[in-house]
Amino acid sequence: SVIRSGMRSGYINPSASTNGTFGPGDPVTLAQLAKVAHKIANIDESIYHEEPRNSRARGTWFADFYASAESRYWAVYRDPMDAPERPATRSEVVCTLLQALDVPRLWPKGNTFSDVTPITPYADCIETAATDGLITGDQTSRTFGPERPVNRAELAKMLVTASELYGERTKE
């Protein structure tokens, strides 16, 4: 579903063609997350003609996505010293998707997951996503794992669910 809609793609060869692999267990990077968030929300990243503030994003395939995310003040992209190719955490993915889709957030109470308190970074996004049904966490332990990295399969599931919950904003 996410490949057909254009929100995700498999890995690309240097010749810009797909190499036939998706890598479901591979971690999602902040750079990849920026691209996916733009795709799900149908945001044109090319309208910002500025270099990213993050010097590590300049001159890369994701420079336009990163500059656009920074200019929109998405929380995850505020630190110009962060490494764009580091794995994105579960909380960062949830927050970025909610911001890209302009989903109003709830005030965090700290009673949804045992490992998410009101002062956990992005707690408002995590609790909103859980209330809306975007995420479920581990039902047995009532945990979310906000600092755990997200893999490509998990992100694909979140994208499909977000499209269903927050309105069809994809090309398909």
Side-chain angles (χ1 to χ4, degrees):
S1 291
V2 295
I3 289 173
R4 278 194 316 272
S5 69
M7 287 185 285
R8 291 290 307 149
S9 65
Y11 285 109
I12 306 295
N13 291 324
S15 64
S17 64
T18 182
N19 71 9
T21 61
F22 182 74
D26 295 349
V28 174
T29 67
L30 292 179
Q32 293 167 336
L33 176 59
K35 178 180 178 181
V36 169
H38 281 78
K39 296 296 182 190
I40 192 171
N42 283 328
I43 298 170
D44 182 359
E45 74 284 353
S46 67
I47 63 173
Y48 292 97
H49 302 288
E50 300 174 12
E51 287 287 321
R53 287 188 303 277
N54 187 316
S55 62
R56 294 187 222 181
R58 295 178 190 153
T60 64
W61 66 264
F62 53 85
D64 288 346
F65 295 106
Y66 226 85
S68 177
E70 289 172 343
S71 69
R72 294 172 188 286
Y73 302 103
W74 290 350
V76 175
Y77 301 93
R78 289 184 183 155
D79 181 359
M81 302 306 290
D82 210 348
E85 299 201 65
R86 76 161 169 80
T89 66
R90 294 167 58 83
S91 58
E92 290 170 333
V93 169
V94 167
C95 185
T96 302
L97 293 178
L98 294 185
Q99 285 187 291
L101 294 168
D102 203 22
V103 175
R105 288 163 292 189
L106 305 171
W107 286 103
K109 305 283 189 258
N111 54 11
T112 304
F113 297 110
S114 62
D115 59 349
V116 177
T117 70
I119 61 170
T120 299
Y122 314 116
D124 57 336
C125 296
I126 295 166
E127 290 192 18
T128 299
T131 299
D132 291 352
L134 176 62
I135 57 171
T136 58
D138 183 315
Q139 297 300 303
T140 306
S141 63
R142 276 194 57 247
T143 59
F144 175 65
E147 295 303 315
R148 279 196 356 242
V150 170
N151 66 39
R152 291 167 63 95
E154 291 169 322
L155 178 60
K157 171 67 173 154
M158 281 191 236
L159 293 171
V160 169
T161 305
S163 290
E164 292 168 357
L165 287 172
Y166 305 121
E168 191 63 38
R169 299 175 185 214
T170 63
K171 295 177 185 174
E172 198 172 82

